[in-house]
Amino acid sequence: MAITMKAARINANLTQEQAAKALEITKGTLASYEMGKTIPKIDMAKKIARLYGLTVDDIIFFEN
């Protein structure tokens, strides 16, 4: 079952600030991913999935 990026972060007990720091991106960039304003490139999607203990397939990356 796929979940949204925001839900994945919350399930990992991370704030946006903590996740952004771990991913070496800005909080604004992470927020943009979570809101579906931008889609992370595959390397970043893999990094996000690893941080949240999921696979890329587990996370929904919405595109507007």
Side-chain angles (χ1 to χ4, degrees):
M1 180 175 166
I3 61 174
T4 65
M5 244 185 84
K6 182 176 180 179
R9 174 180 54 77
I10 291 169
N11 287 341
N13 294 313
L14 294 169
T15 65
Q16 272 189 336
E17 188 172 314
Q18 291 168 326
K21 185 175 182 179
L23 295 167
E24 300 177 329
I25 58 176
T26 67
K27 185 178 166 185
T29 298
L30 182 60
S32 185
Y33 293 158
E34 288 185 353
M35 291 185 290
K37 290 184 177 182
T38 57
I39 305 294
K41 293 187 181 197
I42 191 66
D43 289 343
M44 179 55 66
K46 288 178 183 177
K47 199 172 177 182
I48 292 166
R50 270 194 307 273
L51 177 64
Y52 297 161
L54 301 169
T55 67
V56 174
D57 288 342
D58 291 330
I59 302 173
I60 298 170
F61 296 99
F62 291 105
E63 184 174 5
N64 292 345

